[in-house]
Amino acid sequence: MLQLQFLSSPPPPVSAQTLNLNTISNPKLFPHFSSLKSPQNHAFKFNPLSLTSKPSKFSLKCRQSEYFDQKQRFNNSSSTSPPPSSGSPPRYYVGHSIYKGKAALTVEPKAPEFVPLDSGAFKISREGFVLLQFAPAAGVRQYDWGRKQVFSLSVTEIGTLISLGTKESCEFFHDPFKGKSDEGKVRKVLKVEPLPDGSGHFFNLGVQNKLLNMDESIYIPITRAEFTVLKSAFSFILPYLLGWHAFANSTKPDETSRVNNANPRYGGDYEWSR
């Protein structure tokens, strides 16, 4: 966008009017008519546009840079992606909940853990899992999350649920203190059984805690559609729980070829290289 700005003010507009010849003949006002002399007064009309004066000087100002600066600021402010904090990528927390009359179930994926190696690479130290949280009902559409019970599904247990048929059932047993001094004092059993009418499955979590003298069982019916959603989410997140996404993101074809060419024994133990 270009803007022209005159520094000298333009002359006031002159309306079309009848001027006296003696006035026009005044050399101070109209030097071009100073040679006109007449003993009599004659009146005539003339075009006032011919008397407009030209500006003595002007300045040229370019506002194109300001326009693009404003456009850039607008684009930055309208961005919906959250800015990273302290140079690290943003973290997202997701989950899926199912609410029924007697209980509620929340499903949340938990990421795997990696440890650094001396070579600068990373190795997975703990696979991810899916955390199930069961909360008993405390009223109409109200749930007591203070009494919730949790159960962590491993990748193998997730695979069992994904492959579970309509009329099939499964059972998982966990001891949080296995291999420790309090082994056997806390017992968790998750049972997934088909509903009698075949419309879905029962999720029943039983927890026996001898340390707290507590024995509680929370169950919730899951319809076939709700179970299909869980299976689809489990199938999608399973490679990420194994950490394979990190390996795939770090693999480049050109780097892989250089490693293979530099080390001819690379991959020699694999079946397809024999």
Side-chain angles (χ1 to χ4, degrees):
M1 180 185 298
L2 298 179
Q3 178 183 11
L4 294 179
Q5 179 179 359
F6 293 98
L7 300 181
S8 62
S9 59
V14 181
S15 61
Q17 58 182 341
T18 303
L19 299 179
N20 188 280
L21 181 61
N22 294 333
T23 304
I24 300 177
S25 301
N26 190 340
K28 295 181 180 181
L29 299 178
F30 301 97
H32 296 288
F33 296 97
S34 60
S35 60
L36 296 178
K37 295 181 179 180
S38 175
Q40 299 179 355
N41 293 335
H42 299 278
F44 65 94
K45 294 181 178 181
F46 72 101
N47 187 2
L49 297 179
S50 62
L51 301 179
T52 57
S53 60
K54 298 182 180 179
S56 58
K57 58 180 180 177
F58 65 95
S59 64
L60 179 63
K61 184 178 180 181
C62 179
R63 302 184 62 184
Q64 185 177 8
S65 60
E66 298 179 3
Y67 169 76
F68 283 105
D69 291 343
Q70 295 176 0
K71 185 177 180 182
Q72 182 67 22
R73 289 195 297 268
F74 174 78
N75 293 338
N76 294 339
S77 62
S78 61
S79 176
T80 57
S81 59
S85 57
S86 67
S88 60
R91 298 181 62 87
Y92 299 90
Y93 299 94
V94 297
H96 178 66
S97 299
I98 300 175
Y99 301 98
K100 295 300 175 68
K102 294 185 177 181
L105 171 63
T106 298
V107 182
E108 297 180 3
K110 299 299 180 180
E113 298 178 2
F114 297 85
V115 294
L117 302 178
D118 296 337
S119 61
F122 291 87
K123 181 180 180 180
I124 187 169
S125 60
R126 180 182 180 184
E127 294 180 344
F129 58 94
V130 170
L131 181 65
L132 305 181
Q133 301 184 66
F134 295 80
V140 180
R141 296 183 179 180
Q142 296 180 357
Y143 304 91
D144 189 358
W145 293 100
R147 294 173 51 199
K148 70 178 180 180
Q149 300 294 335
V150 299
F151 194 91
S152 299
L153 291 174
S154 65
V155 293
T156 304
E157 294 168 341
I158 293 174
T160 302
L161 291 178
I162 293 175
S163 61
L164 196 66
T166 306
K167 298 181 180 181
E168 295 179 341
S169 61
C170 62
E171 181 176 340
F172 307 122
F173 168 76
H174 284 186
D175 184 352
F177 298 101
K178 186 177 181 180
K180 301 179 181 179
S181 59
D182 291 334
E183 181 177 355
K185 294 183 180 181
V186 178
R187 175 185 175 91
K188 294 184 178 183
V189 179
L190 176 63
K191 296 181 180 180
V192 181
E193 300 174 337
L195 294 174
D197 57 357
S199 60
H201 284 77
F202 262 122
F203 277 60
N204 187 357
L205 177 61
V207 179
Q208 294 179 354
N209 192 333
K210 297 180 181 180
L211 299 176
L212 301 177
N213 194 20
M214 183 263 295
D215 189 354
E216 188 169 6
S217 179
I218 304 175
Y219 68 92
I220 178 173
I222 304 297
T223 64
R224 185 181 303 175
E226 293 168 341
F227 199 21
T228 301
V229 172
L230 293 179
K231 287 183 177 181
S232 180
F234 291 163
S235 299
F236 172 81
I237 202 63
L238 189 58
Y240 294 88
L241 300 180
L242 294 171
W244 285 26
H245 65 291
F247 170 77
N249 294 336
S250 64
T251 302
K252 296 181 180 179
D254 54 347
E255 294 181 358
T256 304
S257 61
R258 287 198 302 267
V259 172
N260 293 343
N261 295 334
N263 186 6
R265 298 184 57 185
Y266 179 81
D269 296 336
Y270 297 119
E271 180 180 358
W272 53 83
S273 63
R274 296 178 181 175

